[in-house]
Amino acid sequence: MAEQEVLNKEEERKPQAKMVPVFIMGQKYEVPEGSTILNAIEYAGYQLKKGVGCREGFCGACATVYRLPGDYKLRGGLACQTVVQPGMYLAQLPFTPAQKAIYDIDEVKPDITTFQKFYPEAFRCLGCNACSKVCPQELKVMDYIQAIMRGDLELAADLSFDCIMCGLCTMRCPAEMAQYNIALLARRLYGKYMMPKPEFLYKRIEDIEQGKFDKEFEEIMSLSPDELKKRYAERDINFKIT
Amino acid sequence: MTVKIPYYPGCTLKATAKNFEDTARLVAGVFDYELDDLYRWNCCGAVYGLSEDNVMHKVAPVRNLLRVKEVGEKRVLTLCSMCFNTLKRANYYVRKNKDKLEVINAIMYLENTTYDGSVEVIHLLELLRDEIGFDKVKKAVKKPLSGITVASYYGCLLLRPNEIAIDNMEQPTVMEDLMEALGASVIDLNVKTECCGAYQTVPRKDLVADRTNLIVEEARKAGADLIITSCPLCHFNLDRRQKEAKERHPDFHPMPILYFTQLMALAFGFEEEKLGFKPHYVDPRPLLKERGLL
Ligand code: SF4
Ligand code: SF4
Ligand code: SF4
Ligand code: SF4
Ligand code: FES
């Protein structure tokens, strides 16, 4: 291979990222096209200590608000999951101040009165849906609050299940409630008092505690690798769970 | 063939006024109607916002109307007088103010469709009177309510403002006519469209207790055994505040307060357990037993 060709190849291998302009808290930066907001912020030279966590879209730490050129809508997204767009105006929210009730889950009832007591502001919901508009998980936030307002905790638990508690809805709510903490209470109550109980699990735990399987375990532990392999190959895969 | 009618429940009918909803379902079923809960709904707004330019308070009711349109329906049935009032007034408002409707639609941009004012809001009493007809109601009676005298209390929400009224706003008769069709005796309650005190029941129990005292005493003087209503808030005030009415007026006598659907279900022969009398503060069962209806 001629020297020039090698050089050309190397040139190709170099990242050829196109740069796009974004405005981070009002300041213009050129960042590589296709990067996430989080990468863009770091590329621009910020060191994030707050407002970042898992980098995988699960922890909800990186809530960001942004606008796109020519569009009045204030959008919400997770910095680690949202790809930058040219001309984006953005600011990250390091933290959402939110009211959070203190309760003993053993002492509270799974009905509407608990919410009236701990989160009376939930009942101020106007039905504006500003919360759903901004939710990065695309949850029906208004609908889960509305479900709570009529005591339907099962629906509320279901609709809010994928909430990652990023706080964006709370920052937008004209009724000034913290939807995600309210929904957390709904899911806790649903889980503790309303969800069908796994009776088989309690029975199995009891069996284990009474030593029902101790002998079998001891025997398994004493087997040689070859004997274990043999057992594995001969195992009954159509057994019934009792 | 069963007619499925789109139904907006409202939160009270799913919580404290479950007996109203349950008996309404039974009654509708007798005429082959099925109340079909909207697949998604939010609070109606609870109180109609009176300030003309505060569109935010009209988004909630209009969004519910949009839900009806969204599933391709033309009308929606309500039971709670408050929901009826809020939804129908918001509908009237957006029909009259196309510019405001545009603003509301713009706020609701997340929805798949827009609202256009096309849905009709109706109350169960209208369905019974105008579509089913009281003749049919009469024919469905298995246990005529002869032996009891009923006072009908309308309050304000079914009748005011006039644009949304289901009947003559000063002299309504739809509930009296319905009760006569069930075989009951009726009286003309002189205070049937007066205020029950509404939400004053929270900060001013005393004031509402005095309204309750007045309304119940007027009904008694006119010879009524019980009062019917179609509003969970009126029901709460007239029933629960009898406790305070008694404390403030020693001569006060308790009187049962029922939803009109409970009496219909009784007249149509449904068993006592289905009539939802348990949550009542003033138990109607002794009276109904005494008159041979239970
Ligand atoms: S519901 Fe609120 S807190 Fe939960 S993910 Fe959506 S915006 Fe974030
Ligand atoms: S933002 Fe607040 S007021 Fe608006 S719909 Fe959501 S919870 Fe209700
Ligand atoms: S009242 Fe204020 S927050 Fe609400 S829409 Fe108007 S300007 Fe916005
Ligand atoms: S009027 Fe009352 S019962 Fe009806 S939906 Fe609104 S809050 Fe609920
Ligand atoms: S860093 Fe955890 S969700 Fe973005």
Side-chain angles (χ1 to χ4, degrees), chain B residues 253-272:
Chain B
H253 296 285
M255 181 181 281
I257 315 293
L258 278 79
Y259 293 112
F260 68 94
T261 49
Q262 289 176 299
L263 281 188
M264 290 184 81
L266 175 66
F268 294 162
F270 289 101
E271 313 82 87
E272 187 183 325

Side-chain angles (χ1 to χ4, degrees), chain B residues 117-167:
Chain B
S118 60
V119 171
E120 291 298 333
V121 180
I122 60 169
H123 191 271
L124 177 61
L125 283 167
E126 293 176 288
L127 186 82
L128 287 163
R129 180 191 58 197
D130 305 334
E131 199 165 306
I132 294 168
F134 291 158
D135 284 345
K136 249 193 176 165
V137 171
K138 206 172 188 169
K139 288 199 192 102
V141 173
K142 295 212 178 99
K143 200 192 279 179
L145 303 184
S146 46
I148 54 167
T149 305
V150 179
S152 300
Y153 178 74
Y154 294 80
C156 56
L157 295 165
L158 294 175
L159 303 169
R160 283 172 231 173
N162 206 11
E163 291 81 10
I164 63 123
I166 67 165
D167 202 350

Side-chain angles (χ1 to χ4, degrees), chain B residues 263-283:
Chain B
L263 281 188
M264 290 184 81
L266 175 66
F268 294 162
F270 289 101
E271 313 82 87
E272 187 183 325
E273 307 77 65
K274 294 194 171 154
L275 304 179
F277 291 140
K278 280 217 186 86
H280 289 246
Y281 175 71
V282 181
D283 191 343

Side-chain angles (χ1 to χ4, degrees), chain A residues 71-89:
Chain A
D71 186 357
Y72 63 85
K73 289 172 188 159
L74 184 72
R75 297 165 190 269
L78 297 174
C80 70
Q81 298 299 303
T82 312
V83 172
V84 291
Q85 295 182 49
M88 198 180 222
Y89 268 89

Side-chain angles (χ1 to χ4, degrees), chain A residues 139-195:
Chain A
L139 299 183
K140 293 190 172 95
V141 188
M142 175 185 75
D143 292 65
Y144 77 58
I145 291 297
Q146 290 287 334
I148 286 169
M149 286 168 73
R150 54 188 193 247
D152 190 344
L153 301 191
E154 182 176 358
L155 181 63
D158 188 40
L159 290 178
S160 70
F161 190 75
D162 288 325
C163 171
I164 54 173
M165 310 192 63
C166 71
L168 279 168
C169 52
T170 298
M171 293 302 262
R172 295 291 280 146
C173 179
E176 295 158 292
M177 71 179 82
Q179 294 91 331
Y180 60 95
N181 283 336
I182 300 171
L184 182 67
L185 175 55
R187 290 195 301 280
R188 283 178 174 159
L189 289 171
Y190 180 70
K192 180 160 175 76
Y193 295 105
M194 299 165 75
M195 225 167 68

